[in-house]
Amino acid sequence: MSRRRILTGLSCASLVSLVPGCGQISLPFGGEARGAGRSEKSALLLPLSGASAPLGQRLQIAATLGGGPGIGIDIIDSGSTPETAVAAAKRAVDGGARMIVGPVFSAQAQAVADAVRVPVVTLSNDESLAGGGTYVLGVTPTQSTRAILSIAAQRNLRNVAVVVPPGAFGERSAAAAESVGRTLGLSMRPALVKSNADGLLDALRAGGQLPDAVYLPAADGTLLPFAQALRGQGMQLLGSTQWSALDLSDRPAFRGAWYAAPDPLRFAAFDEAYTQAAGSAGGIISGLAFDGVELLRVLGQTGQLSAKGLTRQEGFTGVVGPYRFLKSGLCERGLGVVSIADGEFNLIGSTSV
């Protein structure tokens, strides 16, 4: 979405403004100004050194967008290994942090959760991390799947196939599709695990008839060949939030496809402000870093940096969309669904929490 960031019918200018003289970002949701009032201490762990430093620097831009992160919130270098992340987390807790947002990577997050006794809100999308004081803020395969298959069900696309590449993300996406699809009353075919498009159509015809829709959750090197192989066959292409990182607007194979995406009204505003600050689009992970800082700010200013504060019934409103943490550590998240047209994107639906 960010590559052609203004969706049909939306005006970014109406959603974001920079306050003269202080550079503060004003986004379309409520709350006190960033940094206002007293605040409990918390920390954001980002990989500012080591192999993942370029990613950490991007996330730091998002975290400080608008003059942040705010009073009581420290940004601490977690490095790029579990050991450096644990050292950063202990430093944060020793300094008085009552909650940690980060780290980014699942191995780091697991190590940090085992080392400290404060709530850890990881930016990872690995659902297996949830529980025991760890909360998963990343956009998970289940969240993407629920958004896109809900629209498929509403549009009466009852027979759905899933095609994934080998690997952990493909496995998690296939499992999510089976579970969510069953809940929605869809007929879900057994997932096809393929590393290339050879024989893809024949495999989909194995039951004697092509499905109504095909879900392609992975946005790796298999996506374009898969889409090209399915073009013109009368099946609706469906995608996950991973598609948001790609510019698919001028690719004929994706014309008319639908995919899950961050809340367009809110994310377009953030993306525009981020691009002005960084010189390039930040993507969903940068939006999550911004939302993580806002989460710490809101809970810190109200004295709720705790599991109870995280799981409050009203949830939170972020630039990636509304979300609410469950006691399990998992997160319910509202997402949009957009369709790809000629050089533009159209919002066709959304899910709420």
mmCIF file of all heavy atoms in Angstrom, residues 95-140:
data_model
loop_
_atom_site.group_PDB
_atom_site.id
_atom_site.type_symbol
_atom_site.label_atom_id
_atom_site.label_comp_id
_atom_site.label_asym_id
_atom_site.label_seq_id
_atom_site.Cartn_x
_atom_site.Cartn_y
_atom_site.Cartn_z
ATOM 1 N N GLY A 95 16.919 0.111 35.421
ATOM 2 C CA GLY A 95 16.688 1.550 35.374
ATOM 3 C C GLY A 95 15.271 1.947 35.736
ATOM 4 O O GLY A 95 14.927 3.138 35.669
ATOM 5 N N GLY A 96 14.434 0.966 36.089
ATOM 6 C CA GLY A 96 13.080 1.270 36.543
ATOM 7 C C GLY A 96 11.973 0.987 35.549
ATOM 8 O O GLY A 96 10.799 1.279 35.836
ATOM 9 N N ALA A 97 12.279 0.414 34.390
ATOM 10 C CA ALA A 97 11.238 0.141 33.391
ATOM 11 C C ALA A 97 10.250 -0.895 33.906
ATOM 12 O O ALA A 97 10.656 -1.961 34.386
ATOM 13 C CB ALA A 97 11.865 -0.340 32.085
ATOM 14 N N ARG A 98 8.975 -0.581 33.788
ATOM 15 C CA ARG A 98 7.927 -1.491 34.237
ATOM 16 C C ARG A 98 7.282 -2.252 33.086
ATOM 17 O O ARG A 98 6.434 -3.119 33.300
ATOM 18 C CB ARG A 98 6.865 -0.707 35.006
ATOM 19 C CG ARG A 98 7.441 -0.003 36.240
ATOM 20 C CD ARG A 98 6.383 0.678 37.055
ATOM 21 N NE ARG A 98 5.394 -0.285 37.556
ATOM 22 C CZ ARG A 98 4.368 0.045 38.328
ATOM 23 N NH1 ARG A 98 4.194 1.315 38.678
ATOM 24 N NH2 ARG A 98 3.510 -0.865 38.733
ATOM 25 N N MET A 99 7.685 -1.919 31.858
ATOM 26 C CA MET A 99 7.207 -2.633 30.675
ATOM 27 C C MET A 99 8.225 -2.434 29.563
ATOM 28 O O MET A 99 8.878 -1.396 29.477
ATOM 29 C CB MET A 99 5.829 -2.124 30.246
ATOM 30 C CG MET A 99 5.216 -2.873 29.052
ATOM 31 S SD MET A 99 3.550 -2.260 28.629
ATOM 32 C CE MET A 99 2.619 -2.795 30.085
ATOM 33 N N ILE A 100 8.341 -3.452 28.696
ATOM 34 C CA ILE A 100 9.265 -3.396 27.563
ATOM 35 C C ILE A 100 8.494 -3.650 26.282
ATOM 36 O O ILE A 100 7.685 -4.587 26.207
ATOM 37 C CB ILE A 100 10.380 -4.455 27.706
ATOM 38 C CG1 ILE A 100 11.333 -4.072 28.843
ATOM 39 C CG2 ILE A 100 11.153 -4.626 26.404
ATOM 40 C CD1 ILE A 100 12.342 -5.149 29.181
ATOM 41 N N VAL A 101 8.711 -2.803 25.283
ATOM 42 C CA VAL A 101 8.258 -3.087 23.927
ATOM 43 C C VAL A 101 9.492 -3.495 23.135
ATOM 44 O O VAL A 101 10.507 -2.808 23.143
ATOM 45 C CB VAL A 101 7.571 -1.876 23.276
ATOM 46 C CG1 VAL A 101 7.408 -2.093 21.772
ATOM 47 C CG2 VAL A 101 6.207 -1.637 23.910
ATOM 48 N N GLY A 102 9.381 -4.618 22.411
ATOM 49 C CA GLY A 102 10.511 -5.211 21.725
ATOM 50 C C GLY A 102 10.894 -6.484 22.470
ATOM 51 O O GLY A 102 10.275 -6.824 23.480
ATOM 52 N N PRO A 103 11.914 -7.179 22.018
ATOM 53 C CA PRO A 103 12.663 -6.943 20.785
ATOM 54 C C PRO A 103 11.861 -7.294 19.533
ATOM 55 O O PRO A 103 10.703 -7.696 19.616
ATOM 56 C CB PRO A 103 13.879 -7.873 20.936
ATOM 57 C CG PRO A 103 13.877 -8.336 22.356
ATOM 58 C CD PRO A 103 12.468 -8.288 22.802
ATOM 59 N N VAL A 104 12.552 -7.192 18.389
ATOM 60 C CA VAL A 104 11.910 -7.447 17.102
ATOM 61 C C VAL A 104 11.864 -8.933 16.789
ATOM 62 O O VAL A 104 10.865 -9.448 16.284
ATOM 63 C CB VAL A 104 12.650 -6.698 15.976
ATOM 64 C CG1 VAL A 104 12.033 -7.009 14.624
ATOM 65 C CG2 VAL A 104 12.650 -5.200 16.245
ATOM 66 N N PHE A 105 12.938 -9.647 17.083
ATOM 67 C CA PHE A 105 13.091 -11.028 16.613
ATOM 68 C C PHE A 105 12.649 -12.031 17.674
ATOM 69 O O PHE A 105 12.821 -11.815 18.873
ATOM 70 C CB PHE A 105 14.548 -11.279 16.213
ATOM 71 C CG PHE A 105 15.072 -10.253 15.251
ATOM 72 C CD1 PHE A 105 16.052 -9.360 15.627
ATOM 73 C CD2 PHE A 105 14.549 -10.167 13.968
ATOM 74 C CE1 PHE A 105 16.522 -8.398 14.751
ATOM 75 C CE2 PHE A 105 15.002 -9.211 13.082
ATOM 76 C CZ PHE A 105 15.998 -8.321 13.476
ATOM 77 N N SER A 106 12.098 -13.147 17.209
ATOM 78 C CA SER A 106 11.485 -14.103 18.127
ATOM 79 C C SER A 106 12.496 -14.715 19.093
ATOM 80 O O SER A 106 12.193 -14.896 20.281
ATOM 81 C CB SER A 106 10.754 -15.195 17.344
ATOM 82 O OG SER A 106 11.631 -15.869 16.470
ATOM 83 N N ALA A 107 13.701 -15.050 18.621
ATOM 84 C CA ALA A 107 14.694 -15.645 19.514
ATOM 85 C C ALA A 107 15.090 -14.656 20.612
ATOM 86 O O ALA A 107 15.265 -15.041 21.779
ATOM 87 C CB ALA A 107 15.924 -16.076 18.728
ATOM 88 N N GLN A 108 15.221 -13.386 20.253
ATOM 89 C CA GLN A 108 15.520 -12.363 21.248
ATOM 90 C C GLN A 108 14.367 -12.213 22.241
ATOM 91 O O GLN A 108 14.576 -12.108 23.450
ATOM 92 C CB GLN A 108 15.787 -11.028 20.570
ATOM 93 C CG GLN A 108 17.124 -10.912 19.857
ATOM 94 C CD GLN A 108 17.365 -9.486 19.374
ATOM 95 O OE1 GLN A 108 16.472 -8.845 18.831
ATOM 96 N NE2 GLN A 108 18.574 -8.988 19.579
ATOM 97 N N ALA A 109 13.155 -12.172 21.713
ATOM 98 C CA ALA A 109 11.988 -11.988 22.576
ATOM 99 C C ALA A 109 11.844 -13.125 23.579
ATOM 100 O O ALA A 109 11.522 -12.903 24.753
ATOM 101 C CB ALA A 109 10.725 -11.865 21.728
ATOM 102 N N GLN A 110 12.090 -14.344 23.128
ATOM 103 C CA GLN A 110 11.998 -15.484 24.035
ATOM 104 C C GLN A 110 13.038 -15.395 25.138
ATOM 105 O O GLN A 110 12.753 -15.629 26.321
ATOM 106 C CB GLN A 110 12.185 -16.786 23.257
ATOM 107 C CG GLN A 110 12.007 -18.040 24.102
ATOM 108 C CD GLN A 110 10.605 -18.148 24.660
ATOM 109 O OE1 GLN A 110 9.643 -18.310 23.918
ATOM 110 N NE2 GLN A 110 10.462 -18.043 25.983
ATOM 111 N N ALA A 111 14.257 -15.011 24.752
ATOM 112 C CA ALA A 111 15.331 -14.891 25.741
ATOM 113 C C ALA A 111 15.025 -13.791 26.752
ATOM 114 O O ALA A 111 15.258 -13.954 27.962
ATOM 115 C CB ALA A 111 16.660 -14.622 25.036
ATOM 116 N N VAL A 112 14.498 -12.673 26.283
ATOM 117 C CA VAL A 112 14.162 -11.562 27.177
ATOM 118 C C VAL A 112 13.038 -11.964 28.127
ATOM 119 O O VAL A 112 13.081 -11.665 29.331
ATOM 120 C CB VAL A 112 13.773 -10.315 26.355
ATOM 121 C CG1 VAL A 112 13.088 -9.271 27.235
ATOM 122 C CG2 VAL A 112 15.003 -9.721 25.688
ATOM 123 N N ALA A 113 12.024 -12.632 27.618
ATOM 124 C CA ALA A 113 10.903 -13.053 28.459
ATOM 125 C C ALA A 113 11.359 -13.975 29.583
ATOM 126 O O ALA A 113 10.809 -13.945 30.695
ATOM 127 C CB ALA A 113 9.845 -13.741 27.611
ATOM 128 N N ASP A 114 12.369 -14.804 29.306
ATOM 129 C CA ASP A 114 12.891 -15.712 30.323
ATOM 130 C C ASP A 114 13.772 -14.998 31.343
ATOM 131 O O ASP A 114 14.011 -15.527 32.433
ATOM 132 C CB ASP A 114 13.715 -16.826 29.653
ATOM 133 C CG ASP A 114 12.860 -17.768 28.823
ATOM 134 O OD1 ASP A 114 11.639 -17.825 29.058
ATOM 135 O OD2 ASP A 114 13.412 -18.443 27.935
ATOM 136 N N ALA A 115 14.244 -13.795 30.992
ATOM 137 C CA ALA A 115 15.240 -13.118 31.830
ATOM 138 C C ALA A 115 14.672 -12.033 32.732
ATOM 139 O O ALA A 115 15.303 -11.680 33.732
ATOM 140 C CB ALA A 115 16.338 -12.510 30.942
ATOM 141 N N VAL A 116 13.507 -11.480 32.397
ATOM 142 C CA VAL A 116 12.951 -10.377 33.187
ATOM 143 C C VAL A 116 11.531 -10.700 33.626
ATOM 144 O O VAL A 116 10.880 -11.575 33.059
ATOM 145 C CB VAL A 116 12.975 -9.050 32.393
ATOM 146 C CG1 VAL A 116 14.401 -8.659 32.026
ATOM 147 C CG2 VAL A 116 12.097 -9.136 31.143
ATOM 148 N N ARG A 117 11.048 -9.951 34.600
ATOM 149 C CA ARG A 117 9.717 -10.207 35.161
ATOM 150 C C ARG A 117 8.818 -8.980 35.017
ATOM 151 O O ARG A 117 8.092 -8.615 35.941
ATOM 152 C CB ARG A 117 9.843 -10.628 36.626
ATOM 153 C CG ARG A 117 10.512 -11.975 36.807
ATOM 154 C CD ARG A 117 9.675 -13.110 36.212
ATOM 155 N NE ARG A 117 10.350 -14.401 36.274
ATOM 156 C CZ ARG A 117 11.033 -14.931 35.275
ATOM 157 N NH1 ARG A 117 11.137 -14.257 34.131
ATOM 158 N NH2 ARG A 117 11.602 -16.099 35.395
ATOM 159 N N VAL A 118 8.883 -8.354 33.858
ATOM 160 C CA VAL A 118 7.947 -7.281 33.522
ATOM 161 C C VAL A 118 7.286 -7.674 32.207
ATOM 162 O O VAL A 118 7.808 -8.504 31.464
ATOM 163 C CB VAL A 118 8.667 -5.918 33.368
ATOM 164 C CG1 VAL A 118 9.347 -5.519 34.665
ATOM 165 C CG2 VAL A 118 9.669 -5.945 32.209
ATOM 166 N N PRO A 119 6.098 -7.127 31.889
ATOM 167 C CA PRO A 119 5.462 -7.453 30.615
ATOM 168 C C PRO A 119 6.360 -7.090 29.431
ATOM 169 O O PRO A 119 6.967 -6.014 29.400
ATOM 170 C CB PRO A 119 4.192 -6.602 30.630
ATOM 171 C CG PRO A 119 3.907 -6.364 32.076
ATOM 172 C CD PRO A 119 5.252 -6.247 32.725
ATOM 173 N N VAL A 120 6.447 -8.009 28.463
ATOM 174 C CA VAL A 120 7.244 -7.816 27.259
ATOM 175 C C VAL A 120 6.302 -7.841 26.061
ATOM 176 O O VAL A 120 5.604 -8.832 25.832
ATOM 177 C CB VAL A 120 8.310 -8.920 27.107
ATOM 178 C CG1 VAL A 120 9.052 -8.785 25.781
ATOM 179 C CG2 VAL A 120 9.290 -8.881 28.274
ATOM 180 N N VAL A 121 6.265 -6.751 25.308
ATOM 181 C CA VAL A 121 5.398 -6.642 24.136
ATOM 182 C C VAL A 121 6.310 -6.716 22.906
ATOM 183 O O VAL A 121 6.932 -5.735 22.519
ATOM 184 C CB VAL A 121 4.604 -5.321 24.138
ATOM 185 C CG1 VAL A 121 3.682 -5.250 22.922
ATOM 186 C CG2 VAL A 121 3.799 -5.198 25.426
ATOM 187 N N THR A 122 6.415 -7.890 22.324
ATOM 188 C CA THR A 122 7.345 -8.070 21.218
ATOM 189 C C THR A 122 6.761 -7.577 19.898
ATOM 190 O O THR A 122 5.548 -7.683 19.666
ATOM 191 C CB THR A 122 7.762 -9.544 21.074
ATOM 192 O OG1 THR A 122 8.629 -9.682 19.925
ATOM 193 C CG2 THR A 122 6.554 -10.453 20.873
ATOM 194 N N LEU A 123 7.633 -7.046 19.035
ATOM 195 C CA LEU A 123 7.217 -6.631 17.696
ATOM 196 C C LEU A 123 7.191 -7.810 16.727
ATOM 197 O O LEU A 123 6.786 -7.658 15.579
ATOM 198 C CB LEU A 123 8.165 -5.554 17.166
ATOM 199 C CG LEU A 123 8.252 -4.265 17.984
ATOM 200 C CD1 LEU A 123 9.245 -3.297 17.352
ATOM 201 C CD2 LEU A 123 6.890 -3.611 18.129
ATOM 202 N N SER A 124 7.607 -8.980 17.189
ATOM 203 C CA SER A 124 7.567 -10.187 16.362
ATOM 204 C C SER A 124 6.124 -10.580 16.056
ATOM 205 O O SER A 124 5.203 -10.221 16.795
ATOM 206 C CB SER A 124 8.270 -11.338 17.083
ATOM 207 O OG SER A 124 8.049 -12.583 16.441
ATOM 208 N N ASN A 125 5.930 -11.352 14.977
ATOM 209 C CA ASN A 125 4.593 -11.871 14.665
ATOM 210 C C ASN A 125 4.485 -13.366 14.966
ATOM 211 O O ASN A 125 3.571 -14.035 14.482
ATOM 212 C CB ASN A 125 4.231 -11.595 13.201
ATOM 213 C CG ASN A 125 5.100 -12.390 12.219
ATOM 214 O OD1 ASN A 125 6.042 -13.080 12.610
ATOM 215 N ND2 ASN A 125 4.786 -12.286 10.939
ATOM 216 N N ASP A 126 5.406 -13.881 15.771
ATOM 217 C CA ASP A 126 5.421 -15.303 16.121
ATOM 218 C C ASP A 126 4.448 -15.546 17.274
ATOM 219 O O ASP A 126 4.726 -15.223 18.430
ATOM 220 C CB ASP A 126 6.841 -15.713 16.514
ATOM 221 C CG ASP A 126 6.968 -17.211 16.770
ATOM 222 O OD1 ASP A 126 5.928 -17.903 16.841
ATOM 223 O OD2 ASP A 126 8.112 -17.683 16.913
ATOM 224 N N GLU A 127 3.304 -16.142 16.956
ATOM 225 C CA GLU A 127 2.264 -16.355 17.964
ATOM 226 C C GLU A 127 2.683 -17.315 19.061
ATOM 227 O O GLU A 127 2.125 -17.279 20.162
ATOM 228 C CB GLU A 127 0.995 -16.873 17.279
ATOM 229 C CG GLU A 127 0.333 -15.862 16.359
ATOM 230 C CD GLU A 127 -0.800 -16.469 15.549
ATOM 231 O OE1 GLU A 127 -0.535 -17.327 14.694
ATOM 232 O OE2 GLU A 127 -1.946 -16.073 15.796
ATOM 233 N N SER A 128 3.672 -18.163 18.800
ATOM 234 C CA SER A 128 4.104 -19.118 19.815
ATOM 235 C C SER A 128 4.780 -18.442 21.003
ATOM 236 O O SER A 128 4.952 -19.057 22.057
ATOM 237 C CB SER A 128 5.061 -20.148 19.195
ATOM 238 O OG SER A 128 6.311 -19.558 18.862
ATOM 239 N N LEU A 129 5.154 -17.163 20.855
ATOM 240 C CA LEU A 129 5.790 -16.434 21.945
ATOM 241 C C LEU A 129 4.790 -16.002 23.022
ATOM 242 O O LEU A 129 5.183 -15.680 24.136
ATOM 243 C CB LEU A 129 6.493 -15.182 21.408
ATOM 244 C CG LEU A 129 7.670 -15.396 20.456
ATOM 245 C CD1 LEU A 129 8.080 -14.073 19.832
ATOM 246 C CD2 LEU A 129 8.840 -16.035 21.183
ATOM 247 N N ALA A 130 3.508 -15.949 22.673
ATOM 248 C CA ALA A 130 2.496 -15.395 23.566
ATOM 249 C C ALA A 130 2.349 -16.221 24.838
ATOM 250 O O ALA A 130 2.390 -17.449 24.813
ATOM 251 C CB ALA A 130 1.156 -15.305 22.852
ATOM 252 N N GLY A 131 2.162 -15.513 25.944
ATOM 253 C CA GLY A 131 1.948 -16.165 27.226
ATOM 254 C C GLY A 131 3.112 -15.957 28.175
ATOM 255 O O GLY A 131 4.211 -15.591 27.766
ATOM 256 N N GLY A 132 2.857 -16.168 29.463
ATOM 257 C CA GLY A 132 3.912 -16.033 30.454
ATOM 258 C C GLY A 132 4.473 -14.637 30.573
ATOM 259 O O GLY A 132 5.655 -14.458 30.882
ATOM 260 N N GLY A 133 3.647 -13.636 30.292
ATOM 261 C CA GLY A 133 4.097 -12.254 30.382
ATOM 262 C C GLY A 133 4.572 -11.652 29.079
ATOM 263 O O GLY A 133 4.993 -10.497 29.052
ATOM 264 N N THR A 134 4.487 -12.426 27.990
ATOM 265 C CA THR A 134 4.869 -11.920 26.667
ATOM 266 C C THR A 134 3.618 -11.707 25.822
ATOM 267 O O THR A 134 2.738 -12.574 25.752
ATOM 268 C CB THR A 134 5.807 -12.893 25.945
ATOM 269 O OG1 THR A 134 6.990 -13.070 26.729
ATOM 270 C CG2 THR A 134 6.211 -12.355 24.579
ATOM 271 N N TYR A 135 3.552 -10.545 25.170
ATOM 272 C CA TYR A 135 2.411 -10.164 24.340
ATOM 273 C C TYR A 135 2.922 -9.891 22.930
ATOM 274 O O TYR A 135 3.962 -9.254 22.740
ATOM 275 C CB TYR A 135 1.720 -8.929 24.924
ATOM 276 C CG TYR A 135 1.194 -9.165 26.316
ATOM 277 C CD1 TYR A 135 2.053 -9.093 27.417
ATOM 278 C CD2 TYR A 135 -0.136 -9.497 26.531
ATOM 279 C CE1 TYR A 135 1.579 -9.334 28.704
ATOM 280 C CE2 TYR A 135 -0.607 -9.739 27.819
ATOM 281 C CZ TYR A 135 0.256 -9.662 28.893
ATOM 282 O OH TYR A 135 -0.216 -9.922 30.155
ATOM 283 N N VAL A 136 2.197 -10.377 21.916
ATOM 284 C CA VAL A 136 2.656 -10.309 20.532
ATOM 285 C C VAL A 136 1.954 -9.169 19.809
ATOM 286 O O VAL A 136 0.750 -9.224 19.540
ATOM 287 C CB VAL A 136 2.392 -11.645 19.802
ATOM 288 C CG1 VAL A 136 2.813 -11.548 18.340
ATOM 289 C CG2 VAL A 136 3.157 -12.774 20.497
ATOM 290 N N LEU A 137 2.725 -8.118 19.482
ATOM 291 C CA LEU A 137 2.170 -6.947 18.801
ATOM 292 C C LEU A 137 2.238 -7.081 17.278
ATOM 293 O O LEU A 137 1.481 -6.434 16.565
ATOM 294 C CB LEU A 137 2.924 -5.690 19.243
ATOM 295 C CG LEU A 137 2.447 -4.345 18.682
ATOM 296 C CD1 LEU A 137 0.991 -4.067 19.074
ATOM 297 C CD2 LEU A 137 3.338 -3.207 19.173
ATOM 298 N N GLY A 138 3.156 -7.886 16.771
ATOM 299 C CA GLY A 138 3.308 -8.028 15.317
ATOM 300 C C GLY A 138 2.042 -8.535 14.644
ATOM 301 O O GLY A 138 1.213 -9.208 15.263
ATOM 302 N N VAL A 139 1.898 -8.195 13.366
ATOM 303 C CA VAL A 139 0.737 -8.648 12.585
ATOM 304 C C VAL A 139 0.942 -10.118 12.246
ATOM 305 O O VAL A 139 1.834 -10.470 11.473
ATOM 306 C CB VAL A 139 0.561 -7.814 11.315
ATOM 307 C CG1 VAL A 139 -0.670 -8.294 10.539
ATOM 308 C CG2 VAL A 139 0.423 -6.335 11.654
ATOM 309 N N THR A 140 0.108 -10.973 12.797
ATOM 310 C CA THR A 140 0.307 -12.416 12.693
ATOM 311 C C THR A 140 -0.403 -12.998 11.468
ATOM 312 O O THR A 140 -1.323 -12.386 10.912
ATOM 313 C CB THR A 140 -0.232 -13.116 13.948
ATOM 314 O OG1 THR A 140 -1.668 -12.982 13.972
ATOM 315 C CG2 THR A 140 0.363 -12.519 15.214
#
